[in-house]
Amino acid sequence: MDLARAQKPSISVIIPHLDQVDGLAACLGSLQAQTLDSSLFEVIVVDNGSTCRPEAVTALFSGVRLLYELEPGPGPARNLGVKYAAGDIFCFIDADCRAHPHWLSAILDAFNRLPRGTILGGDVQIWRQNPEKWGAIEAYESIFGYRQKLHVEYYGFSGSGNLAVRAEDFHKVGPFGGILLAEDKDWGARARARGLVFKYIPQMIVFHPARPSLRLLCVQWDRLIQHTLTATRQHKSWRLLWLGRAVAVFGSPLFDVGEILTSDRIDGFLTRVRALGILIVIRSYRVWRMLTLVVWSNRGVVWNRNTPVSVAKE
């Protein structure tokens, strides 16, 4: 057997990074603790223009490759990682996430069972700072932050923070889009158009920390709202569609109360009340932001940078 071929990793784990050195250290530590044999996977970190570069962190973990992509956005960073990846499977995780110890084993087991042309999306759970106590934002995001099962099974895409795809299938679809797009939704739509199928794998778990403040939760929604607006503005009657969407968001908490009361992702009555409170605040903020963008629709998309990337006017 050819020695080089025998040592080729089965999996390439690709991590975009931007000024999250503490999170990256935890992420790399979780990958080092995988139950899958370390000879079967490689880890590629792609820094996306950090002011605090991660060389000191990546040097603590053997076999981690560090690359640099200055074009802003997680999509371009992931694309560079793919360019240098040697594995037959590409696994994508974010720098502030931690992988469950069986994450890569679950991915490999699923691909061994499922036909080619299948793309995997896994569960994203909230990493709690204090397992004995629920924070309000932790409770809210545990239910509404990362609805991967819904995204995969209903909308037909997976968030790119917990996504796995065979290399050959990735190249059929092509690279992720840039910062002006919701790159996971866009990539998923292109994958479906090429006949590929998404499959939700509940055993494929990563943990994501809750946003530490309401302000940062709103900043996340600013970017998502702008992405949605960019897509909506392709329609001639985009303002009418946008106002209809805003009305739907305004009334949506009434339909989500039942999910808060019955969800098995949180426990305790007061925890559920706190989650409901954050839900109402965030949905109200979304409606306000959506209505302001009807007038000022050329706001920039911010990717953890001081200067927003400009969006062209209509």
Side-chain angles (χ1 to χ4, degrees):
M1 179 183 293
D2 184 278
L3 182 60
R5 183 175 178 81
Q7 293 179 339
K8 180 177 181 291
S10 298
I11 294 174
S12 296
V13 180
I14 300 169
I15 310 169
H17 171 265
L18 180 60
D19 287 324
Q20 296 171 308
V21 289
D22 292 339
L24 179 61
C27 181
L28 294 176
S30 73
L31 293 172
Q32 192 173 63
Q34 290 294 294
T35 56
L36 187 69
D37 192 298
S38 61
S39 67
L40 296 178
F41 66 94
E42 64 175 355
V43 178
I44 300 172
V45 175
V46 185
D47 188 71
N48 198 215
S50 296
T51 55
C52 182
R53 291 162 70 110
E55 287 93 339
V57 171
T58 57
L60 297 174
F61 300 89
S62 61
V64 176
R65 188 172 189 179
L66 179 60
L67 305 173
Y68 299 92
E69 174 57 70
L70 295 182
E71 181 183 346
R78 293 187 183 99
N79 294 338
L80 183 66
V82 164
K83 181 178 178 181
Y84 288 91
D88 297 318
I89 296 169
F90 301 151
C91 297
F92 300 97
I93 186 171
D94 289 339
D96 55 351
C97 292
R98 308 176 192 215
H100 187 283
H102 300 310
W103 183 57
L104 291 177
S105 295
I107 289 170
L108 202 55
D109 288 345
F111 276 129
N112 286 335
R113 292 185 286 104
L114 296 169
R116 297 190 179 280
T118 305
I119 301 169
L120 310 183
D123 191 14
V124 178
Q125 300 179 12
I126 293 299
W127 180 269
R128 293 165 61 189
Q129 296 298 323
N130 181 358
E132 303 299 319
K133 181 181 178 181
W134 283 97
I137 296 176
E138 289 177 339
Y140 162 80
E141 290 211 279
S142 290
I143 301 174
F144 299 106
Y146 304 94
R147 307 174 84 173
Q148 279 281 83
K149 191 173 191 293
L150 177 68
H151 293 159
V152 172
E153 296 184 347
Y154 185 79
Y155 294 109
F157 78 95
S158 170
S160 45
N162 191 6
L163 170 69
V165 57
R166 292 182 177 94
E168 62 186 270
D169 290 331
F170 182 90
H171 293 302
K172 289 177 185 176
V173 180
F176 290 105
I179 195 171
L180 298 183
L181 295 170
E183 79 284 346
D184 45 10
K185 293 182 181 179
D186 172 73
W187 193 86
R190 287 188 280 125
R192 295 194 310 275
R194 286 159 178 78
L196 304 179
V197 176
F198 283 82
K199 178 74 173 179
Y200 177 70
I201 307 297
Q203 300 83 7
M204 177 182 159
I205 301 169
V206 302
F207 300 94
H208 195 295
R211 269 68 182 181
S213 68
L214 267 174
R215 183 186 69 81
L216 291 178
L217 193 54
C218 290
V219 167
Q220 178 208 19
W221 272 108
D222 285 343
R223 178 170 175 249
L224 294 173
I225 290 168
Q226 184 63 68
H227 282 149
T228 306
L229 176 60
T230 300
T232 305
R233 289 174 69 239
Q234 306 305 311
H235 300 275
K236 288 184 178 180
S237 302
W238 72 268
R239 283 186 175 84
L240 184 60
L241 292 171
W242 192 248
L243 289 173
R245 183 185 290 268
V247 170
V249 172
F250 179 77
S252 63
L254 295 174
F255 299 94
D256 290 323
V257 171
E259 185 170 0
I260 291 175
L261 294 176
T262 60
S263 174
D264 60 1
R265 288 188 173 248
I266 60 175
D267 55 69
F269 178 74
L270 288 179
T271 300
R272 298 178 193 277
V273 171
R274 294 188 186 105
L276 178 59
I278 299 295
L279 174 70
I280 293 171
V281 169
I282 291 300
R283 298 286 170 85
S284 300
Y285 174 81
R286 287 172 59 186
V287 171
W288 171 79
R289 176 61 79 185
M290 291 173 75
L291 293 178
T292 61
L293 286 176
V294 172
V295 180
W296 297 292
S297 60
N298 62 331
R299 295 295 183 90
V301 176
V302 178
W303 167 234
N304 294 349
R305 296 176 184 269
N306 293 326
T307 304
V309 179
S310 63
V311 179
K313 276 192 174 183
E314 186 176 18

